[in-house]
Structures are given as structure tokens and as C-alpha cells.
Amino acid sequence: MAAADLIPVNIVTGFLGSGKTTLLRRLLASPELANTAVLVNELGEVGLDHLLLRHVDESTVVLPSGCVCCALRADLTAAIRDLYSKRERGTIPRFDRLAIETTGLADPAPIIFTLLAEPVLRHHFRVGHVVTTVDAVNGARHLAQHPESVKQVAVADRVVLTKTDLAGPAQAEALRTACRRVNPAAPIFEPAVDPIGPDQLFAGDPADPSGTRQDARRWLGPVAAATPPETGVGQASAHDRDVYAFSVTVDRALDWTAFGIWLTMLLHAHGEDILRVKGLLQVVGVPTPVVIHGVQHLVHPPVHLDGWPTADRGTRLVFIVQKLPRQVIERSLAAFTRLAAVGERVV
Ligand SMILES: [Zn+2]
């Protein structure tokens, strides 16, 4: 089935009290999102007044050989399948988008894994942008003290800074800097300063070639300039210092199969510490770039763009990692490209 026929699923996440519900409620009021179904798994919060609102309980099934990021959310699978079957039978309106609001402490990775790995869901749904709210008053403290908060920012496609009107300008700027260090690829929005519409948050998701091309132009820019944070004594509890982004380039076209094997092996070995990988690839025999997009051990289906986003045609990979020296990835990639070059000479 073509990506355009799949129902996009947006994950709205953010630490406790960071304004997820307020944001979602405001977005759902706009006509573009009139046909959106919502799943909420925040306990004790005021429910959204929405036609298709459903609550899900937390029940995660860690697969026998798996890890937390590759855990299946059985509750979520059941809830989404149920929504889909009601939609097909016509007992609920034919929604064209699904939004999942997570608990404040949730790790979005198992939700993404469930959507990508569960056969029935994968057949009808696709993962859209992950939107993460960060509260300008308490966000810096959350990032320093709670690894869950850092992870929510690291896997975001869009970051929304809330309560910037309540925080001082210096506080807001410090938080912007902290968010950019953890995830330089995601654009940051501030609704208190600049009202945002659903298009800015949800359109052009990873499965949409036209949007992906514009997005690639954006994430390729600032990441190149991002550097690993200085490590020093007394920062052991600052989780945002453990997470950083960097980019690597390859100045030759890649063999698609060989690259796939390399990436699979890399993610198998280090996926728990690779929060995100994005890549714009120059592939042998393919005139236009291929975009890859992964979260921990998982890689979304690759997207073929209709053109290069910038004049530069080399392969660029952007990694957001935790506690993983960039040299580990650089060395592995260098070894792989050397091997690939030897292979070409032999053939
Ligand atoms: Zn995993």
C-alpha cells in the first residue's frame, strides 16, 4: 500500500505538566484535524472533549529477546485495532489521522516500535511526526534530572516550548540551547510567541517525500555545527549532557544492500544508545537521494526523494546518541566503506 493511503499516527509526548493536553486540545479545534481520533494514556488528567477519545492502559510486553525500546505495547495494539475495525464497520466516523498522547514519563520508542512492527497496524498506519512539549519554567530541571525527559526531546521531530510567557527570556533561551544540544534536527516552536497550526507540527512527516525533502534541508544544516558536550566532573546526574548529536559524511555512493547490513549490525550492537539516526544517502545506481530515519533499534521504511535538498550530493548521517563515543560509529563506518571499496575492486 502506498504511504499516502496509510493513516498517519502522531505521538504527542512531553514531561509531566509540560502542556501536552493543552496543545493537543488547541490543535484539535482546528478544522484540518476534525477527523482525528485520539488515544490518551495519561491517568488522572482531564480528558479531551473529543468524539473519538479512547483511553489505554499501560501494558508493555517485552519480547523474549528484546529490550525496552523494542517492547510491544499490547494495550496500544488492541486499542488501535479496535478503532480501525470500528472505522471500517462505520460505527465511528472515518478518521484520517490518529494522535496518541502519552503519559508524562513515557518512552515514545515502544510506541513507535509497536506501530512499525505489528503487522496489522503496519498495514493501515504509518508513523507521523513525534511532537514533544517542553515546559520553559521546569524543562531545564527535567532535562538535567530525568532521562525520560531527555529521551522525549531526542526522539522528537518537532519540539514545542510551552509557558515561555511565564519564564524569563534568559530561562527560555537556556532551554532552547539545551533542546538544540540534545536534538539539533528538530525545529523548535513557541506558541506563546508565535501561534502554531497543525500543519507546522504534523505535515511533511517521515513517509512524505515532499515534506521530507524540505525537512532534510533543515536537519542537515544545524547538525553539522553541533559538537559533543564537554564532559567533566560533577555532571554525572545531568542526563542532557550524556546525549548529543553529530553528523558523519561519506563522499562516495553507497551500495544499498551493504549499507543496510552495516546499519542493521550497528543498531543491533548499539541501538539502545542510538536514540535517533537520520540519513540522506547517495546510493549506487539511484539518481536521487534516499532518506532513512530510525529510532533506537528501529528503522522506518526508506523514502526516495524526488531531488537533492541542497547542492551537496554526498551521503550524510546524523546521529543522536547517549553515552556512545562518536568514534565508535565513525570507525565502524570507515571500516565498512573501506570494505565496500575493496569489494568494488575485486568485482
Ligand atoms: Zn530495542
Side-chain angles (χ1 to χ4, degrees):
M1 192 183 282
D5 300 323
L6 301 174
I7 301 167
V9 182
N10 295 107
I11 299 167
V12 180
T13 187
F15 209 67
L16 301 165
S18 63
K20 295 181 292 290
T21 309
T22 311
L23 174 73
L24 197 52
R25 184 180 289 147
R26 188 146 17 90
L27 291 171
L28 289 172
S30 61
E32 299 99 302
L33 296 186
N35 294 323
T36 300
V38 183
L39 289 171
V40 180
N41 86 265
E42 185 91 62
L43 294 170
E45 249 192 62
V46 182
L48 293 158
D49 183 19
H50 203 261
L51 183 64
L52 297 172
L53 179 73
R54 283 280 314 267
H55 284 262
V56 283
D57 303 317
E58 201 85 39
S59 77
T60 302
V61 182
V62 180
L63 305 175
S65 62
C67 58
V68 176
C69 66
C70 300
L72 266 185
R73 287 280 308 267
D75 55 340
L76 195 64
T77 303
I80 299 175
R81 286 178 73 157
D82 182 48
L83 274 181
Y84 187 78
S85 97
K86 288 193 169 115
R87 175 189 187 265
E88 293 308 288
R89 292 199 309 267
T91 54
I92 59 170
R94 218 179 149 72
F95 60 90
D96 54 23
R97 180 179 297 276
L98 175 63
I100 300 173
E101 184 190 340
T102 75
T103 60
L105 291 170
D107 177 351
I111 301 177
I112 298 170
F113 177 75
T114 302
L115 292 163
L116 289 175
E118 215 281 333
V120 176
L121 300 190
R122 205 175 53 194
H123 198 70
H124 299 296
F125 296 88
R126 67 169 202 256
V127 184
H129 284 149
V130 177
V131 176
T132 300
T133 53
V134 185
D135 147 15
V137 178
N138 300 304
R141 190 166 48 81
H142 293 157
L143 285 172
Q145 294 176 356
H146 300 281
E148 298 91 344
S149 172
V150 179
K151 202 160 170 197
Q152 288 169 347
V153 173
V155 304
D157 294 291
R158 303 283 184 261
V159 172
V160 177
L161 285 196
T162 59
K163 305 181 190 174
T164 47
D165 47 339
L166 303 177
Q171 206 176 3
E173 182 51 32
L175 188 58
R176 270 192 294 274
T177 305
C179 288
R180 273 193 217 107
R181 189 176 59 233
V182 170
N183 184 346
I188 299 175
F189 296 92
E190 278 177 62
V193 179
D194 221 350
I196 39 174
D199 260 18
Q200 288 160 287
L201 294 183
F202 296 152
D205 64 46
D208 169 3
S210 57
T212 302
R213 185 171 168 182
Q214 287 166 18
D215 227 44
R217 201 176 295 136
R218 187 163 34 208
W219 55 257
L220 288 169
V223 178
T227 48
E230 64 282 10
T231 45
V233 184
Q235 291 174 349
S237 69
H239 296 291
D240 57 333
R241 294 268 165 190
D242 293 335
V243 174
Y244 66 96
F246 62 92
S247 67
V248 289
T249 58
V250 183
D251 54 6
R252 53 206 301 288
L254 299 166
D255 176 86
W256 176 249
T257 309
F259 177 79
I261 293 169
W262 173 76
L263 186 66
T264 305
M265 288 173 70
L266 179 79
L267 296 181
H268 183 72
H270 300 291
E272 258 157 302
D273 295 325
I274 298 175
L275 300 181
R276 255 216 186 258
V277 53
K278 287 182 173 214
L280 184 75
L281 313 180
Q282 185 192 10
V283 177
V284 174
V286 182
T288 52
V290 178
V291 167
I292 55 142
H293 183 94
V295 175
Q296 300 205 289
H297 294 107
L298 332 163
V299 181
H300 291 246
V303 175
H304 287 260
L305 299 193
D306 52 5
W308 289 86
T310 62
D312 188 355
R313 302 209 156 183
T315 287
R316 275 158 292 174
L317 294 163
V318 174
F319 289 91
I320 299 177
V321 298
Q322 62 184 354
K323 294 180 183 167
L324 183 69
R326 60 184 289 172
Q327 291 81 358
V328 170
I329 293 174
E330 284 168 346
R331 261 188 244 123
S332 167
L333 186 62
F336 156 72
T337 47
R338 264 198 312 276
L339 271 178
V342 171
E344 270 164 30
R345 280 199 295 274
V346 171
V347 171

